[in-house]
């Protein structure tokens, strides 16, 4: 595919150890036919010499906002780099992105060339953070990332593993191939879902025991949000019905927030007739407490409690039987279910696919819960199995949508 051919990429490099990896990234982008302009922060230059990037990109490297304009004019046609570079850019990537530059972007601080360029960029933005695991886990860093995601800024989540400082954890710059494929993904002009309505369910449900206690599960909602945002990017009208999560709502989707399985059922039944595609990623609780206490159950009043659970309605079966059996149904939507099992994953997923009359089922292991990555097998109704290698949930979302479009 030629997504990067003839495209101009502005590559921002900030001051972390992973700055040396940007050299290889430039090579990969150039190999795909892109033109690359590098902007370095002052700290980045402590790690790698601009000459390396200048040589690899074939373009001058920018770093200072207030250079003698005669030098600029001699070097290139660029006279105001913070504006001119932004105008040229098809994609603005920052890799590696330090905690500092992420914080500046999230708060509109423009005190150097890279942060000023970010504010004037009109192209899509892709950020690949890299830092020590404790820095990455710091709530303020997480809050800044969440804020930027809310502004529709794209991220390549860092990987887990050995860090330059010797620690182990989440914070390593994502694999360069992952950054490359996300860049291609952003530049792909694929609008193959335009005119279609895609209904996505995501997240866990909360089944209340009393006003403060719930039974739930550890679904993060990340898979469903990735599907919703990819479908939107591919031109679909998207309705996202989500249980409680801490994720920012993907921009451009119609968002319906629910708590319990019965809320989920009610909202799906309201929306389902509009959908051409239904993707049920939510981890809806199979059970709910038989009794709800209007008042908080006090520990002083009891030595212990027994919560009796009853089965929740099977929403997927209900909607498939409704939609498949309605002669007058305007649409016969493509319905995709998810199956999460601890054992017999494929066997159980196939059974669910058959019994619930689905078009596809996505079987995933418990390891994907809460993680940014997923390892899934997609099974279609003819029984064909597609083993997808472990990859980001954004990548998995694209592959699911590719199958649906096909
Ligand atoms: C040896 C060394 C390695 C560093 N690695 C990182 C890193 O990987 N990620 C990060 O966020 N900050 C890292 N820092 C801290 C940043 O360089 C520092 O916060 C700096 O102000 C970032 O500036 P910039 O965002 O303008 O590039 C490192 C500092 C040193 C001295």
């Amino acid at each position: 595919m030629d997504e990067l051919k003839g495209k101009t990429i502005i590559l921002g490099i900030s001051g972390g150890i992973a700055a040396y990896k940007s050299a290889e990234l430039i090579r990969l982008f150039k190999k795909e036919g892109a033109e690359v302009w590098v902007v370095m922060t002052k700290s980045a230059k402590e790690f790698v010499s601009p000459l390396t990037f200048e040589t690899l990109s074939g373009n001058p490297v920018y770093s200072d906002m207030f250079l003698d304009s005669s030098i600029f004019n001699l070097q290139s046609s660029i006279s105001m780099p913070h504006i001119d570079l932004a105008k040229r850019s098809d994609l603005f990537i920052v890799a590696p992105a330090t905690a500092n530059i992420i914080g500046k972007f999230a708060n509109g601080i423009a005190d150097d060339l890279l942060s000023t360029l970010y504010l004037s960029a009109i192209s899509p933005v892709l950020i690949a953070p890299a830092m020590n695991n404790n820095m990455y886990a710091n709530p303020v860093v997480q809050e800044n990332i969440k804020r930027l995601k809310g502004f529709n800024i794209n991220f390549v989540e860092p990987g887990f593993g050995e860090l330059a400082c010797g620690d182990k954890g989440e914070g390593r710059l994502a694999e360069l191939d992952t950054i490359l494929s996300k860049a291609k993904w952003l530049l792909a002009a694929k609008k193959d879902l335009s005119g279609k309505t895609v209904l996505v369910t995501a997240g866990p449900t909360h089944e209340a025991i009393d006003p403060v206690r719930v039974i739930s599960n550890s679904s993060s909602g990340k898979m469903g949000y990735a599907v919703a945002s990819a479908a939107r990017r591919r031109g679909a009208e998207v309705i996202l019905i989500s249980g409680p999560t801490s994720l920012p709502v993907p921009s451009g989707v119609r968002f319906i927030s629910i708590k319990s399985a019965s809320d989920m059922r009610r909202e799906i039944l309201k929306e389902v007739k509009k959908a051409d595609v239904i993707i049920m990623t939510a981890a809806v609780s199979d059970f709910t407490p038989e009794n709800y206490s209007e008042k908080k159950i006090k520990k002083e009043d009891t030595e212990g409690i027994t919560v009796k659970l009853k089965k929740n309605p099977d929403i997927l079966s209900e909607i498939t039987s409704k939609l498949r059996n309605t002669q007058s149904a305007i649409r016969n939507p493509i319905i995709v279910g998810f199956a999460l099992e601890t054992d017999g994953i494929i066997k159980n997923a196939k059974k669910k696919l058959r019994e619930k009359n689905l078009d596809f089922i996505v079987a995933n292991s418990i390891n994907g819960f809460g993680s940014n990555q997923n390892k899934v097998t997609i099974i279609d109704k003819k029984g064909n199995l597609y083993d997808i290698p472990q990859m980001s949930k954004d990548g998995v979302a694209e592959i699911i949508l590719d199958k649906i479009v096909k």
Side-chain angles (χ1 to χ4, degrees), residues 140-368:
V140 77
V141 174
Q142 288 303 316
E143 198 56 40
N144 286 335
I145 292 175
K146 192 170 163 193
R147 185 141 201 253
L148 288 169
K149 285 184 177 172
F151 296 138
N152 210 16
I153 300 302
N154 302 280
F155 276 78
V156 191
E157 313 292 348
F160 187 93
E162 198 88 34
L163 301 163
C165 54
D167 289 349
K168 210 171 175 183
E170 196 174 17
R172 284 168 67 89
L173 183 71
E175 293 304 321
L176 302 185
D177 277 349
T178 311
I179 300 176
L180 179 69
S181 52
K182 186 83 186 227
K184 287 183 173 179
W185 175 79
L186 282 167
L187 286 173
K190 215 161 33 173
K191 292 281 177 217
D192 47 11
L193 284 169
S194 60
K196 303 291 177 199
T197 298
V198 177
L199 171 66
V200 184
T201 70
T205 59
H206 281 184
E207 309 298 317
I209 299 170
D210 68 14
V212 294
R213 300 181 179 96
V214 296
I215 293 176
S216 188
N217 56 63
S218 44
S219 163
S220 64
K222 286 178 183 169
M223 191 64 245
Y225 281 55
V227 170
S229 103
R232 179 71 197 123
R233 195 188 60 82
R234 288 166 76 151
E237 290 292 319
V238 178
I239 305 164
L240 174 60
I241 306 179
S242 172
T245 77
S246 57
L247 303 172
V249 177
S251 66
V253 312
R254 188 149 78 78
F255 185 71
I256 301 170
S257 166
I258 58 96
K259 285 209 164 70
S260 66
S262 82
D263 296 343
M264 177 72 91
R265 176 178 174 274
R266 188 189 62 237
E267 295 304 322
I268 292 177
L269 292 177
K270 266 197 236 163
E271 304 294 335
V272 82
K273 285 248 171 72
K274 300 170 193 153
D276 300 288
V277 179
I278 300 166
I279 306 175
M280 306 277 272
T281 77
V284 179
S285 175
D286 292 328
F287 302 99
T288 194
E290 201 165 84
N291 297 305
Y292 172 73
S293 166
E294 296 289 344
K295 290 204 170 122
K296 183 183 170 193
I297 303 166
K298 297 225 169 10
K299 71 174 174 191
E300 295 79 19
D301 297 346
T302 171
E303 276 310 299
I305 57 165
T306 302
V307 180
K308 188 153 187 232
L309 302 175
K310 62 178 183 194
K311 258 193 180 171
N312 267 328
D314 183 339
I315 306 173
L316 196 49
S317 295
E318 187 177 345
I319 64 162
T320 49
S321 65
K322 227 184 204 107
L323 292 168
R324 303 285 195 225
N325 298 333
T326 311
Q327 296 295 320
S328 61
I330 315 160
R331 298 175 160 101
N332 185 14
I334 293 178
I335 306 178
V336 183
F338 270 65
L340 180 91
E341 304 284 349
T342 49
D343 54 276
I345 299 177
I346 301 298
K347 190 169 144 245
N348 286 314
K350 278 184 167 170
K351 185 163 170 265
K352 187 168 171 184
L353 173 86
R354 237 183 359 260
E355 286 177 359
K356 303 197 188 227
N357 199 359
L358 305 172
D359 296 284
F360 295 98
I361 193 145
V362 181
N364 52 164
S365 79
I366 198 103
N367 299 337

Side-chain angles (χ1 to χ4, degrees), residues 37 60 62 71-79 88:
W37 293 79
Y62 294 99
I71 298 174
F72 268 124
N73 289 329
L74 276 178
Q75 283 185 333
S76 73
S77 55
I78 289 177
S79 57
R88 293 184 175 202

